[in-house]
Amino acid sequence: MAAESDVWWSVVVYIISLMVPDIKEEAYTNQKWYLFVIVCFLHAAFLLVCIWKRRKTSTAAVIDWLKREVCKSMKTCCSKASCGKISDECVVRELLVLDMAQLCEDTINGTQEACVDTITTREMFTREKGALTSERMLMLGEAGIGKRCFCEELVRDWGSGQRMSIYDCIIYLTLKELNSIKHPVSLSNLLKSKYHKLPSVLGDLLHSYKVLLILDGLDDLRCDMEDSEECPEKVTIETSMRIGTLLSGIITKKLLPETHVLVTSRLHSWRKWKESFGFTFVMLEFAEEQVSGYCEAFSKLHFTSKLSFQLIVDYKLFSLVSFPLLNRALCEIGREQNLKCCVNKVECYKDKLDTWSRMLAFLLQLTLRNISPEVEVSVEESQAPMLAGNKKLQVNVERSLKELARKSYENLISNLQEIKRKDLENESDLLQHLCEFFLMEKSAGSILEYRHDSIRSIFAALHCVEQIKNAEELGECLNTWAFGEVTSTAAKNALLQNISTSKQEHLQNFIRYIFGFIAYEEIDDLLLSDPRPIPVYRREVLNQWLKQWIRKEANLLNIFHCIFELHDDDVTKTVSSYFSSVSMFNTQLYSLDLTAMQYSLSQAHPETLDIRQCGLNDGRLKLLPIIEKCTRVWLSSNKLTEKSVEDLADILRAKTCAIENLSLDNNKLGPIGAQKLWKAIEENKSLKVLSLNRTGISAEGTEGMARGLEKNTTLEELLIGGNKLGPAGAQTMWQSLEKNKGLKVLYLNDNEITAKGTEGMAEHLQKNSSLEELFLCGNPLGEVGVQNMKQLDSPKLKVLFQIADDENLLHYIRKKCGTFKAQSWQTDDPDRTMHLLQTVLEDLRHGTNKDSEMVTDLKQDIENARNIILQKKKMQ
């Protein structure tokens, strides 16, 4: 009706314009010519308004059409499972919000406070949390954590109006769909292939509306964006480019600079582009209460929710099922198998659900059991979770399964997601059962698609372990899959034909499943109650290959997962000696990662364990009892609180504790956490260095310190800089040192200690015979405070309260900075080094000889050292 009204008004204006000559003649006659100008102006303005209104109406209509399309095509993750009979409500997830610009700034300053918020998936992009947006945003999470489900839920809620989003339009693209595009394409044509009505209004949409473009699955993209041709400076939505160039142009803001873009990726695929992003959202794993809710969402129509959750509790599977994919697999196992007959028998499921591979193999075994009537099962066996004996699959089922596995490997190499049903043997029962968890039907059942990329990797791994026949082939395959190394003999290997050697990241999970299924030499082995022992030649190859991989120090986390999926005690014991030190610095670690790490290191004694900036929160340290075996343990810049100190205290009190150097900098331990540590060190017999810089310790946190330092005889260095001890805390500290006989170095810099805090210090410290260095820089001591310290008459004790006034120390610091090299900095704790350099720099800027030539040169040396550390950390 609005369009028709515009047309009629245009006709009326046109008729009036026909009268203009008469009006013109009369106007000239009466010398009122301005009437003609006014009528013409009104005519032109009205036509422009009509055109604008039609354009806006057209764009709004396309947005409404897009909303209807996404509501029809996108189902919830829950409704996709078990024939779609489950709840339409997705489980609310928690996201860690990082400001990448703040991350770089805080790295320079030696602190790690880039986490600006923690929000839920329901709050994201709502008006209440609208400030947590930027032109380029990144969502990170491991495979199976739920990134795609979140994106689909976001788009679906926008389309249905359930989410009060700040965006007028959300456009969703999965990057794996773009791998088949081999020719240059424009953004307009790219969107046209999926949303055919969108290009006609795209220009107005991007200019007049607030739009969010979602690019889901950066790790799924197979074209090399780094080597693609440079994106032109003047580029529009109609400019045709190679797909890699197009996407890199979008990420770097050369294309759509003002449009908000959200990119999702696994944790290993984003670092090249990190400077392009503003806010980064890290999807966290399920908490225990969410595990229960997820079980209920998937199982409530099958009455297995409580039984599945009881199984999780009994076998301590929380780290495994904290990933939605594995949680759902367990629920499917509960649906396939009568849990009631086994839930009270502890041994019934033992060793069947303890790794990713074993859980999914178990589910596949149950599926094959349901479609294999030729397999005779006794009553006793029917109540067991596995088939016993040497059973055989039906011939047609075996052929179909082998063909599915073969096609899955081909699809993995080519990054394809679909299988034509006609390409498989016509075994309807097999496909029907597989479609309940592993596959989905499309195009009226003629096309099958994997429910998750991990499913494709699982079937591909089953194909490969069956095809590998000797040690040489196994070694060649592992080297090619992991490192892209292809020898002259490997080129003849059928499994290595047409495989790319430039990008191997997408094969990481596949390699894990190779280790998990390495004992399955034949497809029929899936029906065995337990897999056969790993062939000797395969075990020997794995031992040598893991040794080689560990020495390369390439992707240590994936090594842990491979060893964990293999779950062979002999191999684990053999390779344990190769782990002399373990560095996971700046790597997001989930509970499953920590479980894999603990298993792999269970028989090792690494000297250094570096898990700084790994996103660890309370409860995670229980998954790493290996901590007590390490000499140096660095836990800085995580999310640990006083609750985590309880776990650490148990480790420190243990008689087997070997920790000599413990760093907890940049954690929110608080005063209660500090009190628990003082209590723990009373019984500790190994700790020599304890670093608690910037951990939120106040004067209250010094309670119990005196007793702890009195009873402890091993602690030599205590670093408590950057806290808020204040005068009261300082007084408690001096009293604590009276009876201590082992502490040599004490750092109390930046603790708001005033002159009042130095009263009586000389008297207390005079009774201490061990302290050699006291670091008090960055405290507002004033002249009175300095005079109080000078009353201390101890030639052995060096009190440092102003770096710039100590010429010997200046020479020492400059010498250290002069020998500072990019390749040697990781031997020290970089967080601590950065903080110390920052403290020195601030002291130099306010010292009495701040303008001297030596101080000026030293300032520049410190800046260079800090830049080296920052650059190295960015490379990591």
Side-chain angles (χ1 to χ4, degrees), residues 285-297:
E285 61 197 344
F286 280 157
E288 290 189 12
E289 59 273 14
Q290 289 176 308
V291 170
S292 176
Y294 203 73
C295 288
E296 184 177 353

Side-chain angles (χ1 to χ4, degrees), residues 16 34 79 105 131 167 199 238 342 353 360 371 381 397 416 429 450 494 585 637 677 722 724 763 848 875:
I16 293 175
Y34 59 84
S79 63
E105 180 182 345
Y167 296 107
E238 301 296 339
C342 301
L353 304 173
L360 294 176
I371 59 174
E381 287 176 325
V397 173
L416 299 177
D429 287 344
Y450 307 98
F585 170 70
S637 304
L677 278 175
K724 296 182 179 181
E763 180 182 351
T848 55
M875 291 173 61

Side-chain angles (χ1 to χ4, degrees), residues 179 182 219-225 227 409-415 476-487 490-491 493-508 510-511:
N179 288 313
K182 305 301 181 185
D219 46 284
D220 290 330
L221 196 67
R222 291 296 168 263
C223 64
D224 197 338
M225 295 170 66
D227 295 332
Y409 181 66
E410 292 178 359
N411 285 352
L412 176 70
I413 300 305
S414 306
N415 197 39
E476 290 172 347
C477 287
L478 290 174
N479 284 330
T480 304
W481 292 329
F483 310 125
E485 299 174 358
V486 181
T487 62
N493 191 324
L495 291 174
L496 303 181
Q497 302 298 315
N498 305 318
I499 188 170
S500 171
T501 58
S502 59
K503 291 185 71 174
Q504 307 304 115
E505 292 92 346
H506 70 288
L507 298 178
Q508 286 188 7
F510 164 72
I511 297 174

Side-chain angles (χ1 to χ4, degrees), residues 309-365:
F309 189 71
Q310 183 179 340
L311 199 67
I312 294 170
V313 174
D314 290 344
Y315 297 143
K316 299 179 180 179
L317 300 177
F318 280 107
S319 62
L320 202 62
V321 299
S322 62
F323 280 60
L325 180 64
L326 292 182
N327 194 316
R328 179 176 154 191
L330 184 64
C331 293
E332 289 292 330
I333 289 172
R335 192 172 68 88
E336 290 278 356
Q337 182 75 6
N338 184 8
L339 289 178
K340 293 181 180 179
C341 68
C342 301
V343 74
N344 295 321
K345 298 179 180 180
V346 177
E347 298 297 323
C348 190
Y349 284 89
K350 189 176 182 181
D351 301 330
K352 310 302 181 187
L353 304 173
D354 48 5
T355 71
W356 192 309
S357 301
R358 292 186 179 187
M359 182 178 290
L360 294 176
F362 185 15
L363 181 55
L364 185 56
Q365 287 167 341

